[in-house]
């Protein structure tokens, strides 16, 4: 990151090694671990462990997904510039085909962010529940309604908030992909 202004520039080095394992065609397991270093031009450096784990199970009419992560992220492009964060995240998702044309899904997420570049440091805890239903009325047309409830509890009281979102989405997919080619 090379900032204009008074923020401290830095380089971020992140390396991981992992394994993907599929004991059956319906089960997948992915694990990786590594280490990151934030090399700041001024001041002390930050470093930490990166761990990711994912388990996926598919069924005849649905699927289940469980993941956990520990690592780092950047919060520079949101409503406020919070800098580098160290986080822990756990997520659980499931989906089920009620009928041939109707799919329902549910996901639950918990995330804890420690913003280490802020003075004073800031800690946020995010909880999210999302539920949706998709109706594929035609091969090329589907409708989706989803609702999500999100809370952020921060150690800075004026940064707490609750959010309710509802989306309605229409998706049109051509039965044959349209390809643009150069014909000269």
């Amino acid at each position: 990151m090379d900032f204009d202004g008074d923020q401290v520039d830095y380089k971020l080095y992140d390396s991981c090694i992992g394994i993907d394992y599929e004991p059956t065609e319906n089960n997948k397991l992915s694990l990786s671990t590594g280490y990151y270093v934030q090399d700041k031009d001024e001041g002390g450096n930050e470093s930490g462990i990166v761990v990711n784990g994912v388990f996926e199970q598919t069924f005849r009419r649905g699927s289940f997904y469980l993941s956990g992560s520990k690592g780092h992220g950047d919060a520079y492009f949101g409503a406020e510039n919070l800098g580098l964060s160290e986080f822990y995240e756990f997520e659980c998702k499931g989906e089920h085909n009620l009928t041939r044309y109707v799919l329902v899904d549910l996901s639950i997420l918990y995330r804890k962010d420690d913003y280490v570049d802020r003075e004073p440091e800031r800690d946020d805890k995010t909880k999210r529940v999302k539920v949706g239903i998709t109706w594929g009325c035609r091969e090329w047309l589907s409708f989706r309604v989803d609702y999500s409830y999100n809370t952020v509890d921060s150690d800075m009281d004026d940064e707490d908030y609750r959010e309710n979102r509802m989306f309605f989405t229409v998706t049109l997919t051509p039965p044959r992909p349209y390809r643009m080619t150069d014909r000269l």
Side-chain angles (χ1 to χ4, degrees):
M1 295 297 279
D2 187 14
F3 294 104
D4 290 336
D6 60 353
Q7 287 186 298
V8 177
D9 298 338
Y10 68 87
K11 293 179 178 87
L12 189 64
Y13 303 97
D14 185 349
S15 61
C16 285
I17 187 167
I19 185 169
D20 292 332
Y21 177 59
E22 292 186 39
T24 68
E25 67 180 40
N26 298 331
N27 295 338
K28 294 180 185 176
L29 180 63
S30 176
L31 297 170
S32 65
T33 187
Y35 198 75
Y36 79 91
V37 175
Q38 180 192 30
D39 182 12
K40 296 180 183 178
D41 288 351
E42 300 171 14
N45 295 337
E46 298 290 337
S47 62
I49 295 173
V50 177
V51 178
N52 296 298
V54 175
F55 171 74
E56 293 179 68
Q57 171 77 46
T58 56
F59 306 100
R60 193 175 120 241
R61 294 182 61 170
S63 66
F64 175 76
Y65 172 93
L66 183 64
S67 72
S69 301
K70 178 194 180 311
H72 63 85
D74 294 322
Y76 291 109
F77 304 109
E80 60 183 309
N81 182 353
L82 298 173
L84 184 77
S85 75
E86 293 180 345
F87 71 87
Y88 302 89
E89 180 177 279
F90 301 98
E91 184 174 21
C92 180
K93 295 182 197 177
E95 63 181 30
H96 182 69
N97 287 310
L98 292 177
T99 69
R100 181 176 172 188
Y101 303 105
V102 178
L103 173 79
V104 294
D105 57 87
L106 171 71
S107 69
I108 299 168
L109 173 116
Y110 174 80
R111 180 177 171 118
K112 182 177 184 298
D113 285 286
D114 298 327
Y115 297 100
V116 295
D117 285 346
R118 298 222 3 138
E119 284 297 325
E121 284 189 19
R122 174 176 158 183
D123 295 337
D124 289 353
K125 294 177 183 96
T126 303
K127 299 169 193 151
R128 180 178 307 131
V129 175
K130 185 175 180 181
V131 63
I133 187 165
T134 304
W135 175 42
C137 60
R138 298 279 186 253
E139 186 177 304
W140 52 271
L141 174 66
S142 67
F143 298 97
R144 177 169 173 78
V145 175
D146 67 43
Y147 168 77
S148 67
Y149 178 73
N150 190 42
T151 63
V152 174
D153 294 321
S154 179
D155 60 355
M156 301 176 129
D157 291 335
D158 57 340
E159 301 297 333
D160 293 348
Y161 67 89
R162 287 175 175 36
E163 178 179 71
N164 289 286
R165 286 187 182 190
M166 182 167 262
F167 286 98
F168 177 72
T169 307
V170 177
T171 303
L172 300 168
T173 307
R176 289 186 320 238
Y178 180 74
R179 298 180 193 257
M180 297 183 69
T181 59
D182 293 331
R183 295 184 184 200
L184 298 175

